[in-house]
Amino acid sequence: MLAEPPREDACDLSEPFSRISELIDGSHTIAISGHTSPDGDALGSVLGLGLALRSRYPEKEIAFLLADDAPVPRIYRFLSGADELKSAVSYTVDPDLFIAVDCPVLDRLADAAKVAERAHHVVAFDHHPCRREFAEVVARHVKCAATAVLIDKYLAFCGIEVDPGMATALLCGIVTDTGRFQYQNADPAAFAVAAHLVSCGADPAKISLEVYQSQRIEYLRLESLVMGRIKTVADGRVAYSYARAEDIARRRVSQDECDGLVDVVRSVQGVEVCLFLKEFEPGRIRGNLRSKGDLDVSGVAASFGGGGHAAAAGFTFEGSVEDALSVALPQLAALVGMDPSSIQIKL
């Protein structure tokens, strides 16, 4: 087995880790949830941490929650424990402890926010920047490539042995949040933790097959449509595309299947920043922003009330696709150093 990955910054987290462990020790009922519209990091962190705590504390009642009243996204159903995920609205317990993972603000917990509000204690593990904490104890490290990296650090701190199911869940979080180790956040620590998880039995081939190589034909047809709509502005340095609610409905694609479409837009040669808009219902838009280099797109997301990282951020917009583009594209043009007034939007 490989040696433990370097945890040179673990001492910075020893205090919150210790306080979280004390709260876990003193709790009988524990609920764990990630953010709304969960991605691989949110679900992988819920399951990796949840399975680990169950192995350490078999006498405790530990629930794995979904922030939305919706099924587990299809591509993540292979993860150990995924069949035990339940919607937060169906969870009626007032837990001793609520653990939020991969979520910087209470609103992003959606239905699980109500569980957090009635819990006796609330703690959080997260790697996103945050303006105001909602939990009483927070283990936050914005330099971690994924919350799953932070969970791995916590399990090592606690001396909990990681089994193949936990390891695969956590590795899924790292793989998806680094874009298969293609994004700027794929740092040495991410690779080291990934290597450690594989040594614990994580199955990277299974993750690749289930998450990236098992797309439904309906989704691929939507991807083709989005690809055909890609336009560039600012001398090719900004790219954008979109999917309307009717496009998604007509092709019978679920909302969670659309999460990877922003990477189709990001892949255009010469593009520095990109935007993908998904209309999840008429008049309501989800925007995904990506940066290929050092440019920080989180400020654009923040202008819409959203947030995220420098290289990956998102927001929600009330209005039409055209309205969202008219506001966002000039900001992206300015970000790459171009005159915002020169932008001409084409659909």
Side-chain angles (χ1 to χ4, degrees), residues 1-5 7 44 48 146-153 155-156 160-175 181 189-204 207:
M1 180 175 289
L2 294 176
E4 289 288 315
R7 289 171 170 81
T147 296
V149 171
L150 195 56
I151 299 299
D152 178 73
K153 292 178 184 293
L155 299 184
I160 297 177
E161 184 175 351
V162 177
D163 69 21
M166 304 169 202
T168 298
L170 294 175
L171 182 60
C172 183
I174 297 170
V175 168
F181 299 97
F191 281 99
V193 172
H196 164 64
L197 293 172
V198 172
S199 78
C200 292
D203 190 343
I207 295 169

Side-chain angles (χ1 to χ4, degrees), residues 205-223:
K206 181 71 170 177
I207 295 169
S208 179
L209 175 65
E210 297 289 347
V211 178
Y212 299 106
Q213 300 174 33
S214 298
Q215 304 295 353
R216 297 190 308 127
I217 191 68
E218 293 85 354
Y219 165 81
L220 293 175
R221 288 174 177 145
L222 179 64
E223 183 181 70

